[in-house]
Each structure stands twice: as C-alpha cells, then as structure tokens.
Amino acid sequence: MKICAIICEYNPLHYGHLYHIQKAKELSGCDAVMCIQAGNFTQRGEPAITNKYVRARMALEAGADIVVQIPTAYCCSSAEIFALAGVKIANSFDDVTNLAFGCETENYDLLKEIAKYFANEPKEYKEKLKKFLDQGDSLPVSRQKAIEELMKEDKVEFSEITETLNILTKPNNILAIEYLKALYKTKSKIEPIFTTRSNSDYNSADLNGKDSSATAIRTRLLQKQKVKSIKKLVPPFTYNLLKADVDEFGLPDLELYNELCAYVVKTSSASDIKNVYDVSEGIENRFLASAQKFKDFNELLLDVKTKRYTYTRLKRIVLRLLLKIDKDIVSQIYKMDKLPFIKVLAFNAGKKDCLSSVSANTNLIIRNSNIVRNPSPEYSTLASIEDRANAVFNMLLKKSKIIPNFAPDLYTQSVKYTKD
C-alpha cells in the first residue's frame, strides 16, 4: 500500500483543505491519505477552535483514511520543530511514500534549492543570520536579510534571484521549506507533492467566501459566537460536525484562556520561564517586568514584544509555560529518530487495510491493548503533557460537560468512523 501524508491543523477544515486532500490523492497516486494533525493547541499558541477528535473526523469526511497526532510539545513550537516532528512521524511508516503540502509558488525546483541551502547552513549564511538575529530581527526576517546580503556580495547563487526573495516572504512557502528541510535532514525516502494554494492568503483575516482562510473563519466564528455565521464558508460536513460539538460543549473561552496565561506568567519565577524552550537573551525578565504593570494578557504580551520576539512566538512560550513543557523535551525532537509513540485519533473503519498496513510496519501506535508498561522518560513526559493539554482544553469549554475519552489521553480508544 502507498500512503500520502499531510501535516495539518485543520482549525477548522475549510474548502482549501478539502481541495488539498483531493489533489494530494490525485497527484501522488497513493492508495490512502494519512493526516498528521496537531492536537488541542496549535502553532499560534492558542487552543484549537474544536477538539482534536472532531477535527480528525473532519479530515476523514474530506477523504483522509487515518489521522494521527503530533504531540502537543511540538505542535506549539516554531515552524521548524512542527515540520520536523510531522516528518519524523511520517518517516515511521514504511508505506508513507509521499508528503503533500501547499505553497504560494509554482517554482518547485527553486523551492527545493532554497530548502537544501538552509538544510546545509553554509558558514557564511550562519554568520549573516546570527548578525541579524543579534540586531533583534525575527528568524524569518533575519533569514531573508541574510540571503539578500549574501546575494549582493555574490556569495550565494540561486537559479532565480527575484523569485527567491519573493518566496521567502510568503508563509506557506516558509512552511514548505521547513518540510523539505526536514525531509533532507532525516534522509527521508518520502517524496514531496506540491500544491498551490487557492485565492485566499494563509493568514488573511478577510472573508472571501469559499476561499476564506482558517484565520478569517475562526475570527468570524469567535466574533459571532454562532456556528451558523460560517455555514457558507466551510464544507457542509465541517459545519455539521462543528455545530454538533459546539451545541454540546461550547466554544473554547479565549478570555478564560488569557486569564490562565496571565496567571501563569504572574506566578512564575525567572527560572521557571527560563526553563521554557525558546527563552533566551533575558526575555524572562521582560515577562516579569510586564507582569507587574499589566493585568490584561494581550497588553502584557505587547509590552514584552520585540522585533525578534514576535507576538505569536511569545504566545507559544506562555503556552509551554502553562502546560509545563520544558526545553529539554522540545529539544529532544532533534535527537530522536522516531517519536516514542504515535496516537491514532481516527481512522476509516471501512478501510481496515490502511490501519493494518500502518500497524504492521511500526510498533509505535498506541491503543488500549498495547500501552507501554515500562515507558521511556520521553514517552512519559510527552504523555503527561498530553494529559495536561487535554485538561486545560476541557476547562475552556463554555458548557460544563466532560468530553469523553479525553484523559488520560494515551488510554483512550481510537475513534472509529464509517461514512453512512
């Protein structure tokens, strides 16, 4: 069996995602699609709009055959770590032959050129990158400036100069580069499948009918607090699944979430914050100083924010602080050949050959019947983080009902699904 993997969040799954799954099947010629999905918290450092099981069901409705989870420790991290974790999960399955992802450019050869260059990190590039990082620029900005300067000095060559600089400004191109980097660095046998995004920009907050981005759809939903407000913006199955879930459990309360985040910053010591991955250069002291001045979490973050520490990067740091994700477990992703376990969120019971295939070539899939009796320290740490993430997400739901099978996460039974 040949399987095409897609690394995703589906927060929520919209028409662009549906198109991508369909194109992934078509272009790869694979027998099945595996979605490698974020859990209950996302790379933006926020709770997802609905829980991971509902979003996994959306993926199955869209044509996926099995959905597995990226551990939360790596979901709420940089694009590099998010991509590397997803690729290492994909690498765990012998039958995964392709990885499909979207990008804004159609110059796929140039995208590969750029990714290989960043994967190799030549000395002159590392020196330039450090220079701009030391000046306080964020990583994406520093990377772009480093390439521009190296080009001016004739120290780097790409097949197209103007298009290279343009590629480095687009969010999905940047994520695509991280996927390619991860494939190169892990010496993966998996071949990339490129698809060009539809008309809506990845982070666009403007509604554009069926081309609306997930950002715009979430913004609308959270403003109106009614699932009906996005009915025309998402596929019918997304609407139906989301409406049923919100009717029963409610939307995550982002005001409560911000209060929890403000609380954890205000009650943490400098050493507590310093122990979180991605904290350096004394940013912990800025957090503590701002915590004394501001009650509102957003105002606190805006006060801490610098050119290098963007708003989203700070939100990820605070989420890791809230979920007690220390820097050691996050940095382990660079050392692991494979993750210590793989959590199945959902699979199409009508396609048992897919589950049998992926189960046959890895011993990492977790089910009730094969919980590890003597887990490794990494296994235990990642599992504990999942339980905390689930507990916090459950607290945020506006209706006082416990979501079934939410904790402890690794002992839950995988959701089975068959289309009517």
Side-chain angles (χ1 to χ4, degrees):
M1 172 170 280
K2 291 172 59 179
I3 299 172
C4 182
I6 296 174
I7 301 171
C8 58
E9 288 185 332
Y10 295 155
N11 188 31
L13 191 148
H14 54 61
Y15 281 104
H17 296 134
L18 175 60
Y19 169 81
H20 183 237
I21 291 173
Q22 292 169 343
K23 291 299 288 185
K25 278 188 171 182
E26 174 192 331
L27 295 173
S28 69
C30 286
D31 306 299
V33 169
M34 171 189 287
C35 289
I36 302 171
Q37 180 190 281
N40 289 326
F41 291 86
T42 69
Q43 208 203 347
R44 298 171 69 89
E46 298 173 345
I49 205 74
T50 188
N51 75 72
K52 58 192 178 185
Y53 296 104
V54 172
R55 291 177 8 253
R57 287 283 300 276
M58 292 175 186
L60 294 183
E61 286 277 10
D65 299 290
I66 184 167
V67 185
V68 301
Q69 185 194 333
I70 302 173
T72 294
Y74 309 122
C75 293
C76 54
S77 293
S78 66
E80 179 179 77
I81 290 174
F82 180 84
L84 186 59
V87 166
K88 288 191 173 183
I89 291 172
N91 286 343
S92 300
F93 300 99
D94 293 340
D95 289 348
V96 173
T97 56
N98 296 95
L99 176 67
F101 46 84
C103 50
E104 288 90 353
T105 182
E106 294 184 3
N107 194 335
Y108 307 138
D109 288 337
L110 180 58
L111 203 61
K112 290 178 181 178
E113 273 186 63
I114 297 168
K116 283 181 179 177
Y117 182 84
F118 288 144
N120 292 328
E121 286 193 311
K123 181 182 176 182
E124 61 270 17
Y125 164 71
K126 291 172 75 172
E127 290 172 351
K128 294 288 186 186
L129 184 68
K130 183 177 185 303
K131 168 188 164 182
F132 291 112
L133 287 172
D134 289 346
Q135 290 177 5
D137 290 316
S138 66
L139 177 59
V141 172
S142 296
R143 186 156 60 183
Q144 186 178 351
K145 286 184 175 181
I147 293 299
E148 286 178 347
E149 196 162 287
L150 287 167
M151 283 178 170
K152 289 177 183 177
E153 296 172 3
D154 291 324
K155 292 182 179 178
V156 63
E157 290 185 9
F158 292 106
S159 56
E160 295 183 36
I161 295 174
T162 303
E163 180 61 13
T164 294
L165 297 177
N166 184 49
I167 282 173
L168 292 175
T169 65
K170 304 293 185 181
N172 260 291
N173 288 339
I174 292 170
L175 191 52
I177 287 169
E178 294 301 339
Y179 291 141
L180 289 168
K181 272 177 54 184
L183 291 174
Y184 297 143
K185 286 192 169 186
T186 60
K187 296 180 173 58
S188 178
K189 63 177 176 57
I190 295 171
E191 290 293 324
I193 297 290
F194 303 93
T195 61
T196 306
R197 287 188 62 84
S198 58
N199 298 329
S200 181
D201 289 340
Y202 175 67
N203 286 321
S204 173
D206 298 326
L207 291 173
N208 189 22
K210 290 184 177 181
D211 284 325
S212 297
S213 69
T215 300
I217 293 167
R218 283 195 307 275
T219 301
R220 172 79 169 214
L221 179 57
L222 293 170
Q223 285 176 344
K224 299 293 185 180
Q225 291 290 302
K226 291 182 179 179
V227 182
K228 189 176 180 179
S229 67
I230 63 166
K231 186 172 184 178
K232 295 181 179 179
L233 306 177
V234 296
F237 59 80
T238 293
Y239 172 77
N240 291 334
L241 286 166
L242 187 56
K243 186 175 187 307
D245 186 68
V246 171
D247 285 348
E248 188 168 4
F249 301 107
L251 289 166
D253 187 336
L254 296 189
E255 289 187 11
L256 174 58
Y257 177 67
N258 286 347
E259 289 174 4
L260 289 173
C261 288
Y263 169 80
V264 76
V265 173
K266 288 175 177 289
T267 57
S268 294
S269 65
S271 61
D272 291 332
I273 301 173
K274 197 170 182 179
N275 193 46
V276 173
Y277 186 83
D278 205 24
V279 169
S280 61
E281 302 168 320
I283 197 72
E284 68 275 12
N285 297 317
R286 289 181 64 89
F287 268 115
L288 295 180
S290 297
Q292 298 298 316
K293 296 187 288 184
F294 296 100
K295 180 179 179 181
D296 180 80
F297 180 58
N298 290 318
E299 290 181 352
L300 189 159
L301 288 186
L302 289 172
D303 192 57
V304 178
K305 181 177 174 290
T306 65
K307 284 197 301 180
R308 184 168 182 179
Y309 282 88
T310 63
Y311 185 79
T312 300
R313 183 177 176 183
L314 293 174
K315 287 184 77 173
R316 288 197 293 261
I317 288 172
V318 176
L319 175 56
R320 287 192 286 267
L321 183 65
L322 178 65
L323 299 181
K324 299 179 182 177
I325 305 173
D326 67 39
K327 57 187 175 186
D328 291 337
I329 191 60
V330 180
S331 61
Q332 281 294 317
I333 193 61
Y334 292 104
K335 302 173 184 176
M336 296 175 183
D337 288 331
K338 295 181 179 180
L339 275 65
F341 62 82
I342 295 173
K343 169 69 180 174
V344 177
L345 296 179
F347 64 88
N348 186 346
K351 205 162 185 178
K352 291 182 179 177
D353 57 334
C354 178
L355 185 65
S356 299
S357 173
V358 298
S359 298
N361 59 49
T362 182
N363 61 356
L364 301 175
I365 288 184
I366 297 302
R367 295 192 205 87
N368 286 353
S369 59
N370 67 347
I371 295 297
V372 174
R373 296 183 183 278
N374 297 301
S376 67
E378 292 82 12
Y379 182 112
S380 299
T381 300
L382 290 172
S384 296
I385 291 167
E386 291 306 320
D387 289 343
R388 288 195 291 273
N390 294 337
V392 171
F393 187 85
N394 203 38
M395 285 176 61
L396 300 176
L397 299 176
K398 291 186 177 180
K399 297 186 179 180
S400 299
K401 297 184 74 172
I402 301 296
I403 292 180
N405 293 343
F406 245 50
D409 191 80
L410 295 184
Y411 291 84
T412 64
Q413 192 167 15
S414 299
V415 179
K416 298 180 181 180
Y417 169 73
T418 307
K419 288 188 177 181
D420 296 331

